[in-house]
Amino acid sequence: MIHAEHLVIRIMKQNKIDLAATLPCDRIKNLLPLIQNAFNTMELTREEDGLGICAGAWLAGARPMMIIQSTGLGNMIGALFSLNIASAVPIPIFASFRGFYREGIESQIPFGQHLPAILEACGIQYTLIDEAEKLGLLSDVIQDAYNHCRPHVALVSPKIWEASSPSFRQENQLPVIQSRPAGSNWPLIPIGRPEMTRYEAIKQLGTLLDNQVVVANLGVPSKELFAVSDRPLNYYMLGSMGLVSSIGFGISRFTDRKVMVLEGDGSILMNPNALITIGHYQPRNLMILALDNACYGSTGSQKTYTCERMDIECFAKSCGFENTARIHEALELKDRVHDFEKLEGLSLIHVVLKPGNSSSFNIPLSPKEITKRFKASLEK
Ligand SMILES: Cc1ncc(C[n+]2csc(CCOP(=O)(O)OP(=O)(O)O)c2C)c(N)n1
């Protein structure tokens, strides 16, 4: 029996795809390493960006395809119209369809439920692939996109992977942030070997919390914070990747409390704009803890660009963050958080971490309950 993952690769090859632009979803974490091995890949930081890259590649003679989570389509609608549809630029999109089949994350459901109707209303071609036997339709999706010079979305149900889902990745392939010795030309600030995981950092943080507001990044970080230190003043994000600092910033403008944001490297890369705006407004009661494990930890630990060149602390400095620091050890974290209590001025601590997730469970509160509880506790 051929695994569904291998069938996808075969179909992409048969259709002469020569560039795969990807952004991870947990449900396709076994497919992504195969794609990486079989194709010239472009790892995206934001799905919308992939439309531009793929359009350029096609203009120059390539045959690209995108492999993303369906959530990303929400951020792509504008460009799908104003670029692909308006200018007749083809793009086949393989979208891991969330909020549709056995969805464990409630915040995925509203968009997932409406997505087929949204695509229909937009006149964007889509094909639902909800059974493994229908995977062959992916070929039609690619051909339709290229024959008609238009976008065509394959909404691929997580059910497809149920029969296979083996791991094609070696554990020793987990990404680790590269050491950057002092004195190297770039980046300017050295980065040493990480000593703790995200969970260890969050556990340490849990012991230090008092009356601060904490806004936690989506995925495993929120689950880990819930597990070690649930409190009404924690605002757990369950979706809207990239907005955690924006939410923290909005809160900080209307409270005298200190606001702490648990950011992620993948999240910052998806929406660096947040730090740019925050740097301009200089909130004095905001601290961002950038939990940088150099990967998309929540979706299978695919490496992010902080693994090699992109430097979050340097970026924060260039956005105008007054107090920045880089730490590797749990003890340092404690000192820095205490400093934050005393410091006036915008702060970002770049917490350099090892990859890896704790065995966390889903937060047993609905997104609406989290919001209601948080708002009530902030009003007290
Ligand atoms: C628009 C969009 N694309 C992709 C995803 C899937 N996704 C959920 S969490 C996550 C990784 C977040 O990585 P990071 O911010 O580095 O946090 P980590 O899990 O590593 O702590 C991704 C890619 C999503 N939720 N939304």
Side-chain angles (χ1 to χ4, degrees), residues 240-259:
S240 56
M241 183 169 166
L243 294 191
V244 64
S245 287
S246 316
I247 295 172
F249 172 44
I251 295 169
S252 75
R253 299 283 281 181
F254 293 94
T255 182
D256 294 329
R257 288 177 197 263
K258 297 275 188 182
V259 177

Side-chain angles (χ1 to χ4, degrees), residues 315-336:
F315 178 62
K317 277 188 188 297
S318 74
C319 290
F321 280 65
E322 223 171 279
N323 312 306
T324 70
R326 173 131 62 212
I327 66 167
H328 308 235
E329 302 167 356
L331 284 177
E332 282 180 293
L333 180 63
K334 197 169 161 190
D335 291 345
R336 290 298 174 181

Side-chain angles (χ1 to χ4, degrees), residues 23-26 45-47 68-75 98 105 108 198 202 217-222 224 238-242 244 262-270 291-302 304 353 356-357:
L23 209 153
C25 169
D26 171 66
T45 56
R46 184 178 173 82
E47 289 87 353
I68 57 168
Q69 181 178 107
S70 55
T71 330
L73 290 164
N75 302 339
R98 299 299 300 271
I105 300 179
Q108 291 278 13
R198 175 189 347 84
I202 290 179
N217 192 21
L218 84 168
V220 180
S222 271
E224 290 183 341
L238 304 167
S240 56
M241 183 169 166
V244 64
L262 304 191
E263 259 289 10
D265 45 310
S267 165
I268 290 176
L269 295 179
M270 181 161 286
L291 301 176
D292 182 2
N293 50 10
C295 62
Y296 297 107
S298 301
T299 53
S301 301
Q302 303 84 1
T304 65
L353 298 169
N357 299 311

Side-chain angles (χ1 to χ4, degrees), residues 3-6 29-31 161-169:
H3 290 304
E5 286 88 350
H6 284 117
K29 59 174 177 274
N30 293 325
L31 172 65
W161 320 113
E162 273 181 348
S164 53
S165 288
S167 178
F168 297 111
R169 194 172 71 169

Side-chain angles (χ1 to χ4, degrees), residues 292-364:
D292 182 2
N293 50 10
C295 62
Y296 297 107
S298 301
T299 53
S301 301
Q302 303 84 1
K303 80 169 162 52
T304 65
Y305 294 137
T306 65
C307 198
E308 285 152 31
R309 287 191 195 86
M310 197 274 167
D311 184 322
I312 291 177
E313 190 189 2
C314 285
F315 178 62
K317 277 188 188 297
S318 74
C319 290
F321 280 65
E322 223 171 279
N323 312 306
T324 70
R326 173 131 62 212
I327 66 167
H328 308 235
E329 302 167 356
L331 284 177
E332 282 180 293
L333 180 63
K334 197 169 161 190
D335 291 345
R336 290 298 174 181
V337 172
H338 282 145
D339 286 352
F340 168 59
E341 290 305 314
K342 293 178 238 134
L343 280 173
E344 277 294 312
L346 184 55
S347 312
L348 180 138
I349 303 179
H350 184 196
V351 188
V352 178
L353 298 169
K354 293 192 285 195
N357 299 311
S358 66
S359 47
S360 48
F361 48 86
N362 281 346
I363 296 174

